[in-house]
């Protein structure tokens, strides 16, 4: 008889930060639009149920039919519109997750558009449709909802991991999302280098040298132990925009979200976003959306529902 030796293996506590944000079923008529926007540290899935829907991912436009799926990577500009007379219906949701491995896989492997016959679409559809049904249960069972969310995450992770394994090491890119996370910290905690006037009305490359101080990207580069030039190139390669364009988009979305969903004064919102005075903020906001912050607050458009406020510093 074998005598067992004393042994003790301790595993770490596991408490993943996973959130299903703004899941919704929707039917929309011809002419409906959802303006271009991006989400930080969360991905979006959209399954077309009926009709046809045009999706924009970065500079790519794609027409989707019933059964087609869109997966929007974190930090990527995207939007939707319906141009055909029959309209469209779809199920959409966002999953907030800070799994660095999965975020890196999204950067390298996500194709964004998946036809109904694509293997990843076929793997995800059963879980997405079950999630759609579970969300309509009464009473709602959060544990059951999150179980389907975990199945969705795992199916995506497994597929992307398999695709990544087929590539050589030279084809693997460095993780640009680390730069995005540092830029978001600038939003949550304005510093002297970000308390500057913004006068640009768009996110074009011509704006790259104006507005912000000259050293914030260098500070981020030093923290990540890379050159500022490489930092800029890496970010643009991953997200098809410059780091400053990303920061400006975050500022716009955060301003819109705070004006629509909080009671903070416009002066406080301006300071939170790094503006030295409310006049500078109001000019920039009018350039972004075509009206003053006060007018926007009084007549908040429905499309604001797709925005989520930046997480607060931990």
């Amino acid at each position: 008889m074998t005598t067992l030796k004393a042994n003790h293996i301790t595993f770490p506590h596991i408490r993943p930060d996973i959130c299903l944000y703004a899941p919704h079923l929707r039917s929309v008529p011809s002419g409906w639009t959802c303006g271009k926007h991006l989400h930080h540290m969360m991905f979006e899935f959209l399954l077309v149920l009926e009709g046809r829907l045009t999706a924009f991912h970065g500079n790519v436009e794609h027409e989707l039919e019933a059964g087609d799926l869109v997966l929007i990577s974190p930090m990527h500009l995207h939007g939707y519109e319906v141009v055909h007379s029959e309209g469209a219906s779809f199920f959409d949701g966002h999953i907030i997750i800070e799994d660095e491995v999965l975020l890196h896989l999204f950067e390298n492997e996500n194709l964004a558009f998946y036809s109904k016959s694509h293997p990843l679409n076929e793997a995800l559809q059963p879980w997405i449709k079950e999630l759609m049904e579970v969300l309509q249960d009464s009473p709602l069972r959060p544990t059951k909802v999150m179980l389907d969310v975990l199945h969705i995450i795992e199916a995506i992770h497994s597929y992307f991991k398999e695709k990544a394994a087929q590539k050589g090491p030279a084809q693997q890119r460095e993780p640009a999302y680390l730069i995005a996370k540092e830029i978001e910290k600038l939003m949550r905690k304005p510093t002297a280098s970000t308390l500057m006037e913004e006068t640009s009305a768009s996110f074009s490359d011509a704006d790259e040298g104006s507005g912000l101080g000259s050293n914030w990207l260098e500070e981020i580069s030093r923290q990540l132990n890379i050159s500022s030039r490489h930092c800029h190139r890496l970010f643009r390669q991953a997200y098809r925009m410059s780091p400053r364009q990303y920061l400006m988009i975050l500022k716009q979305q955060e301003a819109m979200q705070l004006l629509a969903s909080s009671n903070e004064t416009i002066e406080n919102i301006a300071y939170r976003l790094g503006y030295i005075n409310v006049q500078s903020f109001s000019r920039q906001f009018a350039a972004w959306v075509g009206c003053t912050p006060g007018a926007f607050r009084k007549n908040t458009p429905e499309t604001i529902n797709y925005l989520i406020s930046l997480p607060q510093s931990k």
Side-chain angles (χ1 to χ4, degrees):
M1 182 176 177
T2 303
T3 302
L4 292 176
K5 296 182 179 179
N7 191 20
H8 183 198
I9 302 175
T10 302
F11 299 102
H13 299 298
I14 300 174
R15 187 178 180 180
D17 293 325
I18 300 173
C19 174
L20 176 64
Y21 178 77
H24 58 279
L25 273 167
R26 188 164 191 180
S27 296
V28 292
S30 178
W32 174 82
T33 62
C34 176
K36 285 189 176 182
H37 58 287
L38 56 79
H39 304 297
H40 42 83
M41 299 307 160
M42 70 178 175
F43 68 88
E44 176 178 349
F45 61 87
L46 184 148
L47 177 64
V48 180
L49 303 175
E50 293 182 285
R52 286 180 286 178
L53 179 76
T54 302
F56 305 92
H57 187 260
N59 297 321
V60 180
E61 176 181 334
H62 199 88
E63 185 171 288
L64 306 168
E65 300 179 345
D68 291 346
L69 175 70
V70 185
L71 282 181
I72 303 296
S73 298
M75 288 81 76
H76 280 260
L77 275 175
H78 62 285
Y80 307 99
E81 69 178 13
V82 175
V83 298
H84 298 282
S85 58
E86 70 267 32
S89 64
F90 55 86
F91 177 55
D92 181 272
H94 310 74
I95 297 177
I96 303 173
I97 183 170
E98 295 198 6
D99 182 332
E100 295 191 354
V101 174
L102 182 56
L103 288 170
H104 194 186
L105 287 170
F106 256 106
E107 281 186 10
N108 289 312
E109 308 302 331
N110 186 24
L111 301 176
F113 307 112
Y114 300 90
S115 68
K116 59 184 176 183
S117 60
H118 191 281
L120 181 56
N121 189 334
E122 292 179 342
L124 288 174
Q125 273 218 38
W127 299 117
I128 292 175
K129 288 183 175 179
E130 182 174 305
L131 175 62
M132 188 169 58
E133 294 175 1
V134 169
L135 286 166
Q136 298 176 75
D137 286 348
S138 183
L140 183 66
R141 294 177 55 193
T143 303
K144 197 172 181 182
V145 169
M146 293 312 297
L147 182 60
D148 287 330
V149 169
L150 290 171
H151 280 300
I152 291 170
I153 293 171
E154 181 57 29
I156 294 171
H157 189 284
S158 296
Y159 180 82
F160 286 170
K161 185 178 180 181
E162 181 181 343
K163 287 298 179 183
Q166 297 171 7
K167 297 180 179 179
Q171 294 177 277
Q172 297 295 321
R173 295 203 301 253
E174 296 172 82
Y177 71 86
L178 295 176
I179 304 169
K181 292 179 75 171
E182 292 301 321
I183 293 173
E184 289 172 17
K185 290 179 183 178
L186 295 179
M187 288 284 298
R188 296 197 294 265
K189 189 178 180 181
T191 63
S193 63
T194 60
L195 288 171
M196 297 286 180
E197 279 196 34
E198 300 291 351
T199 56
S200 57
S202 68
F203 306 125
S204 67
D205 286 339
D207 301 330
E208 190 63 36
S210 66
L212 292 177
S214 60
N215 62 345
W216 64 273
L217 186 58
E218 293 177 3
E219 292 173 2
I220 289 175
S221 302
R222 280 196 297 270
Q223 291 175 27
L224 299 177
N225 199 29
I226 57 177
S227 70
S228 58
R229 186 173 183 178
H230 182 58
C231 181
H232 188 282
R233 183 171 59 248
L234 183 64
F235 196 90
R236 178 172 286 282
Q237 182 185 38
Y239 304 125
R240 299 180 180 87
M241 70 181 84
S242 70
R244 182 182 181 278
Q245 287 173 304
Y246 179 68
L247 177 60
M248 290 296 286
I249 292 171
L250 287 182
K251 281 176 177 278
Q252 176 185 346
Q253 293 190 176
E254 186 78 348
M256 293 167 67
Q257 203 277 336
L258 289 171
L259 287 166
S261 62
S262 78
N263 294 321
E264 285 198 55
T265 65
I266 294 174
E267 289 80 3
N268 283 345
I269 292 173
Y271 178 77
R272 279 185 58 171
L273 296 177
Y275 290 88
I276 55 178
N277 58 63
V278 71
Q279 291 80 15
S280 300
F281 169 64
S282 295
R283 283 197 300 271
Q284 179 59 64
F285 191 85
W288 281 331
V289 303
C291 67
T292 65
F296 182 87
R297 174 167 269 175
K298 291 178 181 177
N299 300 284
T300 302
E302 181 186 7
T303 49
I304 194 68
N305 293 331
Y306 56 64
L307 302 181
I308 179 173
S309 184
L310 285 165
Q312 298 302 305
S313 298
K314 294 181 180 179

